[in-house]
Amino acid sequence: NAGVMQNPRHLVRRRGQEARLRCSPMKGHSHVYWYRQLPEEGLKFMVYLQKENIIDESGMPKERFSAEFPKEGPSILRIQQVVRGDSAAYFCASSKGPGELFFGEGSRLTVL
Amino acid sequence: KNEVEQSPQNLTAQEGEFITINCSYSVGISALHWLQQHPGGGIVSLFMLSSGKKKHGRLIATINIQEKHSSLHITASHPRDSAVYICADTDKLIFGTGTRLQVFP
C-alpha cells in the first residue's frame, strides 16, 4: 500500500520556465492538500482539492499558480513563469476526509 | 484568521529527559494535528486530536479545546526524536512555526 507519492523529488528551473509538480494520493483518498515551505520558514497551506473540484484555494498566490485534481491521474500543482522566490519545498498530503493527513516526501523546486 | 503559536521555538535536551512542547491558538477549532518533520524534510502525522489525550509509544498529546491549548510530550527522549514538531489546526490547516528539538546522547 504505497503512501503519498510526489514527483519529481527535485526540480530545477530557470526563471520564466514552468514547473509541474505531481502528487498521487494514497489509495482510497479523495482529498488532496498542497503546502509550501520556504527556506527556513514554516509550512503554509496553499490549496485543498477533491476529485475534479477545488475546495479551498485561499493560500494560493493569485497569479502564476494553479492546481488540479482530475478524475483520473495525480493532482498537479503548476507554476508558470517561475521566479527565484518560488524556490521552496512543496508538500502534498492526502486524506479520506477531514482527519488524519498523510504527507508525501515533498518536491524541492530550485529556480536559477 | 487563526493564529497558531508554539513554544519553545528551539529546545535542546539530554537523552532520557521528558520533553514538553506547547501549542496555543486564537480561534476555536474542532481538532488539531501534531506533525514531525525530520532533518531530511519528510513529514509524519503524529496525532490528530479533538479532546483529551492520545498516546503512541513514548509520545503523548493532550488538548484543551476550551483553553485553546495543546501539548506534545515525549517521555525518555532519544536522539532519534530530534526533529521539528509542528502543530496545525485541522479546520484551516494553519501551521505553527514549529519547535526544533535536539536531543543529545
PDB file of all heavy atoms in Angstrom, chain B residues 29-67:
ATOM      1  N   ILE B  29     -11.216  25.675  17.408  1.00  0.00           N
ATOM      2  CA  ILE B  29     -11.099  24.708  16.323  1.00  0.00           C
ATOM      3  C   ILE B  29     -11.757  23.403  16.750  1.00  0.00           C
ATOM      4  O   ILE B  29     -12.032  23.199  17.932  1.00  0.00           O
ATOM      5  CB  ILE B  29      -9.622  24.439  15.957  1.00  0.00           C
ATOM      6  CG1 ILE B  29      -8.855  23.864  17.172  1.00  0.00           C
ATOM      7  CG2 ILE B  29      -8.946  25.693  15.443  1.00  0.00           C
ATOM      8  CD1 ILE B  29      -7.448  23.434  16.859  1.00  0.00           C
ATOM      9  N   SER B  30     -11.967  22.544  15.800  1.00  0.00           N
ATOM     10  CA  SER B  30     -12.569  21.253  16.132  1.00  0.00           C
ATOM     11  C   SER B  30     -11.510  20.196  16.439  1.00  0.00           C
ATOM     12  O   SER B  30     -11.768  19.261  17.190  1.00  0.00           O
ATOM     13  CB  SER B  30     -13.476  20.774  14.995  1.00  0.00           C
ATOM     14  OG  SER B  30     -12.741  20.706  13.786  1.00  0.00           O
ATOM     15  N   ALA B  31     -10.322  20.343  15.862  1.00  0.00           N
ATOM     16  CA  ALA B  31      -9.266  19.355  16.115  1.00  0.00           C
ATOM     17  C   ALA B  31      -7.911  19.936  15.731  1.00  0.00           C
ATOM     18  O   ALA B  31      -7.828  20.940  15.020  1.00  0.00           O
ATOM     19  CB  ALA B  31      -9.529  18.066  15.326  1.00  0.00           C
ATOM     20  N   LEU B  32      -6.880  19.278  16.194  1.00  0.00           N
ATOM     21  CA  LEU B  32      -5.520  19.766  15.996  1.00  0.00           C
ATOM     22  C   LEU B  32      -4.622  18.609  15.558  1.00  0.00           C
ATOM     23  O   LEU B  32      -4.768  17.484  16.029  1.00  0.00           O
ATOM     24  CB  LEU B  32      -4.984  20.337  17.315  1.00  0.00           C
ATOM     25  CG  LEU B  32      -3.651  21.051  17.267  1.00  0.00           C
ATOM     26  CD1 LEU B  32      -3.872  22.549  17.156  1.00  0.00           C
ATOM     27  CD2 LEU B  32      -2.834  20.759  18.503  1.00  0.00           C
ATOM     28  N   HIS B  33      -3.702  18.932  14.640  1.00  0.00           N
ATOM     29  CA  HIS B  33      -2.686  17.955  14.232  1.00  0.00           C
ATOM     30  C   HIS B  33      -1.368  18.243  14.933  1.00  0.00           C
ATOM     31  O   HIS B  33      -1.005  19.410  15.132  1.00  0.00           O
ATOM     32  CB  HIS B  33      -2.392  18.102  12.732  1.00  0.00           C
ATOM     33  CG  HIS B  33      -3.375  17.434  11.847  1.00  0.00           C
ATOM     34  ND1 HIS B  33      -3.449  16.077  11.693  1.00  0.00           N
ATOM     35  CD2 HIS B  33      -4.305  17.951  11.026  1.00  0.00           C
ATOM     36  CE1 HIS B  33      -4.398  15.790  10.832  1.00  0.00           C
ATOM     37  NE2 HIS B  33      -4.931  16.893  10.410  1.00  0.00           N
ATOM     38  N   TRP B  34      -0.651  17.195  15.280  1.00  0.00           N
ATOM     39  CA  TRP B  34       0.764  17.316  15.601  1.00  0.00           C
ATOM     40  C   TRP B  34       1.542  16.566  14.519  1.00  0.00           C
ATOM     41  O   TRP B  34       1.250  15.402  14.209  1.00  0.00           O
ATOM     42  CB  TRP B  34       1.088  16.721  16.974  1.00  0.00           C
ATOM     43  CG  TRP B  34       0.794  17.640  18.104  1.00  0.00           C
ATOM     44  CD1 TRP B  34      -0.280  17.623  18.940  1.00  0.00           C
ATOM     45  CD2 TRP B  34       1.600  18.738  18.550  1.00  0.00           C
ATOM     46  NE1 TRP B  34      -0.203  18.631  19.856  1.00  0.00           N
ATOM     47  CE2 TRP B  34       0.942  19.327  19.639  1.00  0.00           C
ATOM     48  CE3 TRP B  34       2.818  19.276  18.127  1.00  0.00           C
ATOM     49  CZ2 TRP B  34       1.463  20.434  20.320  1.00  0.00           C
ATOM     50  CZ3 TRP B  34       3.331  20.370  18.795  1.00  0.00           C
ATOM     51  CH2 TRP B  34       2.651  20.937  19.884  1.00  0.00           C
ATOM     52  N   LEU B  35       2.544  17.256  13.962  1.00  0.00           N
ATOM     53  CA  LEU B  35       3.348  16.698  12.888  1.00  0.00           C
ATOM     54  C   LEU B  35       4.810  16.692  13.308  1.00  0.00           C
ATOM     55  O   LEU B  35       5.240  17.494  14.146  1.00  0.00           O
ATOM     56  CB  LEU B  35       3.205  17.540  11.616  1.00  0.00           C
ATOM     57  CG  LEU B  35       1.786  17.858  11.149  1.00  0.00           C
ATOM     58  CD1 LEU B  35       1.831  18.883  10.022  1.00  0.00           C
ATOM     59  CD2 LEU B  35       1.082  16.605  10.690  1.00  0.00           C
ATOM     60  N   GLN B  36       5.566  15.790  12.691  1.00  0.00           N
ATOM     61  CA  GLN B  36       7.007  15.719  12.928  1.00  0.00           C
ATOM     62  C   GLN B  36       7.713  15.838  11.581  1.00  0.00           C
ATOM     63  O   GLN B  36       7.371  15.114  10.632  1.00  0.00           O
ATOM     64  CB  GLN B  36       7.355  14.386  13.580  1.00  0.00           C
ATOM     65  CG  GLN B  36       8.826  14.170  13.879  1.00  0.00           C
ATOM     66  CD  GLN B  36       9.092  12.719  14.257  1.00  0.00           C
ATOM     67  OE1 GLN B  36       8.759  11.804  13.514  1.00  0.00           O
ATOM     68  NE2 GLN B  36       9.692  12.510  15.415  1.00  0.00           N
ATOM     69  N   GLN B  37       8.661  16.760  11.498  1.00  0.00           N
ATOM     70  CA  GLN B  37       9.429  16.918  10.265  1.00  0.00           C
ATOM     71  C   GLN B  37      10.889  16.650  10.573  1.00  0.00           C
ATOM     72  O   GLN B  37      11.526  17.360  11.354  1.00  0.00           O
ATOM     73  CB  GLN B  37       9.260  18.317   9.670  1.00  0.00           C
ATOM     74  CG  GLN B  37       9.954  18.471   8.318  1.00  0.00           C
ATOM     75  CD  GLN B  37       9.620  19.763   7.603  1.00  0.00           C
ATOM     76  OE1 GLN B  37       9.339  20.761   8.236  1.00  0.00           O
ATOM     77  NE2 GLN B  37       9.666  19.746   6.281  1.00  0.00           N
ATOM     78  N   HIS B  38      11.427  15.632   9.919  1.00  0.00           N
ATOM     79  CA  HIS B  38      12.801  15.225  10.161  1.00  0.00           C
ATOM     80  C   HIS B  38      13.753  16.096   9.359  1.00  0.00           C
ATOM     81  O   HIS B  38      13.351  16.756   8.398  1.00  0.00           O
ATOM     82  CB  HIS B  38      12.980  13.751   9.813  1.00  0.00           C
ATOM     83  CG  HIS B  38      12.591  12.869  10.961  1.00  0.00           C
ATOM     84  ND1 HIS B  38      13.409  12.663  12.046  1.00  0.00           N
ATOM     85  CD2 HIS B  38      11.459  12.183  11.209  1.00  0.00           C
ATOM     86  CE1 HIS B  38      12.806  11.868  12.903  1.00  0.00           C
ATOM     87  NE2 HIS B  38      11.619  11.562  12.426  1.00  0.00           N
ATOM     88  N   PRO B  39      15.045  16.079   9.737  1.00  0.00           N
ATOM     89  CA  PRO B  39      16.029  16.918   9.048  1.00  0.00           C
ATOM     90  C   PRO B  39      16.029  16.730   7.538  1.00  0.00           C
ATOM     91  O   PRO B  39      16.284  17.651   6.792  1.00  0.00           O
ATOM     92  CB  PRO B  39      17.359  16.484   9.683  1.00  0.00           C
ATOM     93  CG  PRO B  39      16.989  16.015  11.048  1.00  0.00           C
ATOM     94  CD  PRO B  39      15.626  15.386  10.906  1.00  0.00           C
ATOM     95  N   GLY B  40      15.705  15.536   7.076  1.00  0.00           N
ATOM     96  CA  GLY B  40      15.640  15.301   5.637  1.00  0.00           C
ATOM     97  C   GLY B  40      14.447  15.956   4.980  1.00  0.00           C
ATOM     98  O   GLY B  40      14.357  16.018   3.755  1.00  0.00           O
ATOM     99  N   GLY B  41      13.500  16.436   5.776  1.00  0.00           N
ATOM    100  CA  GLY B  41      12.353  17.174   5.259  1.00  0.00           C
ATOM    101  C   GLY B  41      11.045  16.432   5.277  1.00  0.00           C
ATOM    102  O   GLY B  41       9.991  17.057   5.173  1.00  0.00           O
ATOM    103  N   GLY B  42      11.083  15.094   5.395  1.00  0.00           N
ATOM    104  CA  GLY B  42       9.834  14.335   5.370  1.00  0.00           C
ATOM    105  C   GLY B  42       8.951  14.672   6.560  1.00  0.00           C
ATOM    106  O   GLY B  42       9.420  14.991   7.649  1.00  0.00           O
ATOM    107  N   ILE B  43       7.644  14.641   6.351  1.00  0.00           N
ATOM    108  CA  ILE B  43       6.677  15.000   7.388  1.00  0.00           C
ATOM    109  C   ILE B  43       5.820  13.795   7.729  1.00  0.00           C
ATOM    110  O   ILE B  43       5.302  13.117   6.836  1.00  0.00           O
ATOM    111  CB  ILE B  43       5.776  16.152   6.912  1.00  0.00           C
ATOM    112  CG1 ILE B  43       6.607  17.394   6.602  1.00  0.00           C
ATOM    113  CG2 ILE B  43       4.724  16.490   7.971  1.00  0.00           C
ATOM    114  CD1 ILE B  43       5.832  18.507   5.926  1.00  0.00           C
ATOM    115  N   VAL B  44       5.672  13.577   9.025  1.00  0.00           N
ATOM    116  CA  VAL B  44       4.848  12.474   9.507  1.00  0.00           C
ATOM    117  C   VAL B  44       3.774  13.041  10.421  1.00  0.00           C
ATOM    118  O   VAL B  44       4.055  13.888  11.263  1.00  0.00           O
ATOM    119  CB  VAL B  44       5.714  11.450  10.276  1.00  0.00           C
ATOM    120  CG1 VAL B  44       4.837  10.383  10.898  1.00  0.00           C
ATOM    121  CG2 VAL B  44       6.743  10.829   9.358  1.00  0.00           C
ATOM    122  N   SER B  45       2.553  12.587  10.236  1.00  0.00           N
ATOM    123  CA  SER B  45       1.483  12.984  11.125  1.00  0.00           C
ATOM    124  C   SER B  45       1.564  12.131  12.383  1.00  0.00           C
ATOM    125  O   SER B  45       1.530  10.901  12.308  1.00  0.00           O
ATOM    126  CB  SER B  45       0.133  12.796  10.431  1.00  0.00           C
ATOM    127  OG  SER B  45      -0.930  13.081  11.314  1.00  0.00           O
ATOM    128  N   LEU B  46       1.686  12.775  13.541  1.00  0.00           N
ATOM    129  CA  LEU B  46       1.811  12.031  14.797  1.00  0.00           C
ATOM    130  C   LEU B  46       0.441  11.787  15.423  1.00  0.00           C
ATOM    131  O   LEU B  46       0.118  10.677  15.844  1.00  0.00           O
ATOM    132  CB  LEU B  46       2.682  12.813  15.781  1.00  0.00           C
ATOM    133  CG  LEU B  46       4.133  13.065  15.373  1.00  0.00           C
ATOM    134  CD1 LEU B  46       4.804  13.978  16.385  1.00  0.00           C
ATOM    135  CD2 LEU B  46       4.885  11.759  15.216  1.00  0.00           C
ATOM    136  N   PHE B  47      -0.329  12.850  15.515  1.00  0.00           N
ATOM    137  CA  PHE B  47      -1.637  12.765  16.154  1.00  0.00           C
ATOM    138  C   PHE B  47      -2.603  13.727  15.492  1.00  0.00           C
ATOM    139  O   PHE B  47      -2.219  14.762  14.999  1.00  0.00           O
ATOM    140  CB  PHE B  47      -1.573  13.194  17.642  1.00  0.00           C
ATOM    141  CG  PHE B  47      -0.739  12.337  18.527  1.00  0.00           C
ATOM    142  CD1 PHE B  47       0.524  12.768  18.926  1.00  0.00           C
ATOM    143  CD2 PHE B  47      -1.207  11.126  19.003  1.00  0.00           C
ATOM    144  CE1 PHE B  47       1.309  11.985  19.748  1.00  0.00           C
ATOM    145  CE2 PHE B  47      -0.435  10.342  19.826  1.00  0.00           C
ATOM    146  CZ  PHE B  47       0.832  10.769  20.207  1.00  0.00           C
ATOM    147  N   MET B  48      -3.888  13.330  15.519  1.00  0.00           N
ATOM    148  CA  MET B  48      -4.954  14.285  15.317  1.00  0.00           C
ATOM    149  C   MET B  48      -5.874  14.112  16.505  1.00  0.00           C
ATOM    150  O   MET B  48      -6.317  12.989  16.788  1.00  0.00           O
ATOM    151  CB  MET B  48      -5.727  14.044  14.025  1.00  0.00           C
ATOM    152  CG  MET B  48      -6.658  15.187  13.703  1.00  0.00           C
ATOM    153  SD  MET B  48      -7.835  14.848  12.410  1.00  0.00           S
ATOM    154  CE  MET B  48      -8.999  13.825  13.272  1.00  0.00           C
ATOM    155  N   LEU B  49      -6.110  15.177  17.243  1.00  0.00           N
ATOM    156  CA  LEU B  49      -6.962  15.022  18.411  1.00  0.00           C
ATOM    157  C   LEU B  49      -7.913  16.190  18.573  1.00  0.00           C
ATOM    158  O   LEU B  49      -7.583  17.309  18.221  1.00  0.00           O
ATOM    159  CB  LEU B  49      -6.138  14.815  19.688  1.00  0.00           C
ATOM    160  CG  LEU B  49      -5.212  15.881  20.243  1.00  0.00           C
ATOM    161  CD1 LEU B  49      -4.805  15.523  21.662  1.00  0.00           C
ATOM    162  CD2 LEU B  49      -3.991  16.057  19.397  1.00  0.00           C
ATOM    163  N   SER B  50      -9.075  15.866  19.090  1.00  0.00           N
ATOM    164  CA  SER B  50     -10.108  16.876  19.274  1.00  0.00           C
ATOM    165  C   SER B  50     -10.459  17.058  20.743  1.00  0.00           C
ATOM    166  O   SER B  50     -11.109  18.041  21.098  1.00  0.00           O
ATOM    167  CB  SER B  50     -11.363  16.513  18.484  1.00  0.00           C
ATOM    168  OG  SER B  50     -11.805  15.216  18.838  1.00  0.00           O
ATOM    169  N   SER B  51     -10.037  16.136  21.588  1.00  0.00           N
ATOM    170  CA  SER B  51     -10.303  16.284  23.019  1.00  0.00           C
ATOM    171  C   SER B  51      -9.406  15.333  23.781  1.00  0.00           C
ATOM    172  O   SER B  51      -8.930  14.327  23.238  1.00  0.00           O
ATOM    173  CB  SER B  51     -11.770  15.978  23.340  1.00  0.00           C
ATOM    174  OG  SER B  51     -12.053  14.619  23.085  1.00  0.00           O
ATOM    175  N   GLY B  52      -9.163  15.662  25.041  1.00  0.00           N
ATOM    176  CA  GLY B  52      -8.491  14.736  25.930  1.00  0.00           C
ATOM    177  C   GLY B  52      -7.043  14.468  25.583  1.00  0.00           C
ATOM    178  O   GLY B  52      -6.256  15.383  25.395  1.00  0.00           O
ATOM    179  N   LYS B  53      -6.719  13.211  25.495  1.00  0.00           N
ATOM    180  CA  LYS B  53      -5.321  12.789  25.398  1.00  0.00           C
ATOM    181  C   LYS B  53      -5.199  11.588  24.472  1.00  0.00           C
ATOM    182  O   LYS B  53      -6.100  10.754  24.399  1.00  0.00           O
ATOM    183  CB  LYS B  53      -4.867  12.417  26.817  1.00  0.00           C
ATOM    184  CG  LYS B  53      -3.461  11.947  26.964  1.00  0.00           C
ATOM    185  CD  LYS B  53      -3.065  11.938  28.452  1.00  0.00           C
ATOM    186  CE  LYS B  53      -2.990  10.568  29.018  1.00  0.00           C
ATOM    187  NZ  LYS B  53      -2.432  10.564  30.409  1.00  0.00           N
ATOM    188  N   LYS B  54      -4.077  11.556  23.740  1.00  0.00           N
ATOM    189  CA  LYS B  54      -3.746  10.377  22.941  1.00  0.00           C
ATOM    190  C   LYS B  54      -2.308   9.996  23.221  1.00  0.00           C
ATOM    191  O   LYS B  54      -1.466  10.862  23.461  1.00  0.00           O
ATOM    192  CB  LYS B  54      -3.935  10.643  21.443  1.00  0.00           C
ATOM    193  CG  LYS B  54      -5.383  10.643  20.982  1.00  0.00           C
ATOM    194  CD  LYS B  54      -5.473  10.681  19.469  1.00  0.00           C
ATOM    195  CE  LYS B  54      -6.926  10.587  19.018  1.00  0.00           C
ATOM    196  NZ  LYS B  54      -7.044  10.634  17.543  1.00  0.00           N
ATOM    197  N   LYS B  55      -2.044   8.697  23.149  1.00  0.00           N
ATOM    198  CA  LYS B  55      -0.697   8.196  23.437  1.00  0.00           C
ATOM    199  C   LYS B  55      -0.278   7.239  22.343  1.00  0.00           C
ATOM    200  O   LYS B  55      -1.064   6.399  21.885  1.00  0.00           O
ATOM    201  CB  LYS B  55      -0.685   7.489  24.795  1.00  0.00           C
ATOM    202  CG  LYS B  55       0.676   7.035  25.282  1.00  0.00           C
ATOM    203  CD  LYS B  55       0.560   6.469  26.696  1.00  0.00           C
ATOM    204  CE  LYS B  55       1.929   6.188  27.309  1.00  0.00           C
ATOM    205  NZ  LYS B  55       2.620   5.076  26.672  1.00  0.00           N
ATOM    206  N   HIS B  56       0.978   7.397  21.903  1.00  0.00           N
ATOM    207  CA  HIS B  56       1.530   6.450  20.928  1.00  0.00           C
ATOM    208  C   HIS B  56       2.989   6.246  21.272  1.00  0.00           C
ATOM    209  O   HIS B  56       3.828   7.121  21.040  1.00  0.00           O
ATOM    210  CB  HIS B  56       1.375   6.999  19.497  1.00  0.00           C
ATOM    211  CG  HIS B  56       1.809   6.030  18.457  1.00  0.00           C
ATOM    212  ND1 HIS B  56       2.901   6.225  17.645  1.00  0.00           N
ATOM    213  CD2 HIS B  56       1.296   4.827  18.092  1.00  0.00           C
ATOM    214  CE1 HIS B  56       3.041   5.210  16.842  1.00  0.00           C
ATOM    215  NE2 HIS B  56       2.078   4.338  17.088  1.00  0.00           N
ATOM    216  N   GLY B  57       3.277   5.100  21.861  1.00  0.00           N
ATOM    217  CA  GLY B  57       4.649   4.831  22.292  1.00  0.00           C
ATOM    218  C   GLY B  57       5.070   5.824  23.358  1.00  0.00           C
ATOM    219  O   GLY B  57       4.407   5.974  24.385  1.00  0.00           O
ATOM    220  N   ARG B  58       6.176   6.523  23.101  1.00  0.00           N
ATOM    221  CA  ARG B  58       6.680   7.497  24.068  1.00  0.00           C
ATOM    222  C   ARG B  58       6.087   8.897  23.871  1.00  0.00           C
ATOM    223  O   ARG B  58       6.459   9.826  24.566  1.00  0.00           O
ATOM    224  CB  ARG B  58       8.214   7.571  23.945  1.00  0.00           C
ATOM    225  CG  ARG B  58       8.922   6.282  24.372  1.00  0.00           C
ATOM    226  CD  ARG B  58      10.442   6.401  24.222  1.00  0.00           C
ATOM    227  NE  ARG B  58      10.848   6.575  22.844  1.00  0.00           N
ATOM    228  CZ  ARG B  58      11.260   7.718  22.325  1.00  0.00           C
ATOM    229  NH1 ARG B  58      11.347   8.805  23.070  1.00  0.00           N
ATOM    230  NH2 ARG B  58      11.624   7.788  21.054  1.00  0.00           N
ATOM    231  N   LEU B  59       5.191   9.028  22.928  1.00  0.00           N
ATOM    232  CA  LEU B  59       4.585  10.320  22.635  1.00  0.00           C
ATOM    233  C   LEU B  59       3.194  10.404  23.235  1.00  0.00           C
ATOM    234  O   LEU B  59       2.413   9.455  23.137  1.00  0.00           O
ATOM    235  CB  LEU B  59       4.488  10.538  21.120  1.00  0.00           C
ATOM    236  CG  LEU B  59       5.791  10.503  20.338  1.00  0.00           C
ATOM    237  CD1 LEU B  59       5.521  10.668  18.852  1.00  0.00           C
ATOM    238  CD2 LEU B  59       6.734  11.587  20.809  1.00  0.00           C
ATOM    239  N   ILE B  60       2.921  11.559  23.847  1.00  0.00           N
ATOM    240  CA  ILE B  60       1.593  11.810  24.418  1.00  0.00           C
ATOM    241  C   ILE B  60       1.166  13.197  23.965  1.00  0.00           C
ATOM    242  O   ILE B  60       1.941  14.151  24.050  1.00  0.00           O
ATOM    243  CB  ILE B  60       1.637  11.787  25.957  1.00  0.00           C
ATOM    244  CG1 ILE B  60       2.189  10.447  26.459  1.00  0.00           C
ATOM    245  CG2 ILE B  60       0.238  12.039  26.532  1.00  0.00           C
ATOM    246  CD1 ILE B  60       2.559  10.472  27.933  1.00  0.00           C
ATOM    247  N   ALA B  61      -0.059  13.310  23.486  1.00  0.00           N
ATOM    248  CA  ALA B  61      -0.596  14.612  23.102  1.00  0.00           C
ATOM    249  C   ALA B  61      -1.867  14.872  23.892  1.00  0.00           C
ATOM    250  O   ALA B  61      -2.688  13.968  24.066  1.00  0.00           O
ATOM    251  CB  ALA B  61      -0.878  14.662  21.605  1.00  0.00           C
ATOM    252  N   THR B  62      -1.984  16.101  24.361  1.00  0.00           N
ATOM    253  CA  THR B  62      -3.194  16.499  25.084  1.00  0.00           C
ATOM    254  C   THR B  62      -3.745  17.763  24.459  1.00  0.00           C
ATOM    255  O   THR B  62      -3.011  18.538  23.839  1.00  0.00           O
ATOM    256  CB  THR B  62      -2.889  16.775  26.571  1.00  0.00           C
ATOM    257  OG1 THR B  62      -1.973  17.880  26.652  1.00  0.00           O
ATOM    258  CG2 THR B  62      -2.273  15.568  27.249  1.00  0.00           C
ATOM    259  N   ILE B  63      -5.032  17.945  24.626  1.00  0.00           N
ATOM    260  CA  ILE B  63      -5.644  19.159  24.114  1.00  0.00           C
ATOM    261  C   ILE B  63      -6.755  19.602  25.053  1.00  0.00           C
ATOM    262  O   ILE B  63      -7.481  18.769  25.608  1.00  0.00           O
ATOM    263  CB  ILE B  63      -6.180  18.980  22.677  1.00  0.00           C
ATOM    264  CG1 ILE B  63      -6.600  20.325  22.074  1.00  0.00           C
ATOM    265  CG2 ILE B  63      -7.347  17.986  22.647  1.00  0.00           C
ATOM    266  CD1 ILE B  63      -6.852  20.288  20.579  1.00  0.00           C
ATOM    267  N   ASN B  64      -6.837  20.931  25.231  1.00  0.00           N
ATOM    268  CA  ASN B  64      -7.934  21.524  25.982  1.00  0.00           C
ATOM    269  C   ASN B  64      -8.621  22.510  25.040  1.00  0.00           C
ATOM    270  O   ASN B  64      -8.114  23.600  24.796  1.00  0.00           O
ATOM    271  CB  ASN B  64      -7.404  22.226  27.236  1.00  0.00           C
ATOM    272  CG  ASN B  64      -8.534  22.740  28.113  1.00  0.00           C
ATOM    273  OD1 ASN B  64      -9.527  23.275  27.628  1.00  0.00           O
ATOM    274  ND2 ASN B  64      -8.385  22.583  29.413  1.00  0.00           N
ATOM    275  N   ILE B  65      -9.732  22.087  24.482  1.00  0.00           N
ATOM    276  CA  ILE B  65     -10.412  22.880  23.463  1.00  0.00           C
ATOM    277  C   ILE B  65     -10.875  24.226  24.036  1.00  0.00           C
ATOM    278  O   ILE B  65     -10.764  25.259  23.374  1.00  0.00           O
ATOM    279  CB  ILE B  65     -11.614  22.111  22.887  1.00  0.00           C
ATOM    280  CG1 ILE B  65     -11.131  20.904  22.070  1.00  0.00           C
ATOM    281  CG2 ILE B  65     -12.489  23.013  22.038  1.00  0.00           C
ATOM    282  CD1 ILE B  65     -10.488  21.256  20.745  1.00  0.00           C
ATOM    283  N   GLN B  66     -11.356  24.218  25.274  1.00  0.00           N
ATOM    284  CA  GLN B  66     -11.855  25.454  25.880  1.00  0.00           C
ATOM    285  C   GLN B  66     -10.726  26.466  26.068  1.00  0.00           C
ATOM    286  O   GLN B  66     -10.908  27.652  25.853  1.00  0.00           O
ATOM    287  CB  GLN B  66     -12.525  25.173  27.228  1.00  0.00           C
ATOM    288  CG  GLN B  66     -13.881  24.479  27.127  1.00  0.00           C
ATOM    289  CD  GLN B  66     -13.765  23.009  26.797  1.00  0.00           C
ATOM    290  OE1 GLN B  66     -12.756  22.370  27.077  1.00  0.00           O
ATOM    291  NE2 GLN B  66     -14.796  22.463  26.175  1.00  0.00           N
ATOM    292  N   GLU B  67      -9.559  25.973  26.483  1.00  0.00           N
ATOM    293  CA  GLU B  67      -8.440  26.877  26.714  1.00  0.00           C
ATOM    294  C   GLU B  67      -7.624  27.125  25.458  1.00  0.00           C
ATOM    295  O   GLU B  67      -6.654  27.875  25.489  1.00  0.00           O
ATOM    296  CB  GLU B  67      -7.541  26.323  27.826  1.00  0.00           C
ATOM    297  CG  GLU B  67      -8.227  26.296  29.191  1.00  0.00           C
ATOM    298  CD  GLU B  67      -7.276  25.919  30.318  1.00  0.00           C
ATOM    299  OE1 GLU B  67      -6.070  25.753  30.044  1.00  0.00           O
ATOM    300  OE2 GLU B  67      -7.757  25.793  31.445  1.00  0.00           O
TER     301      GLU B  67
END
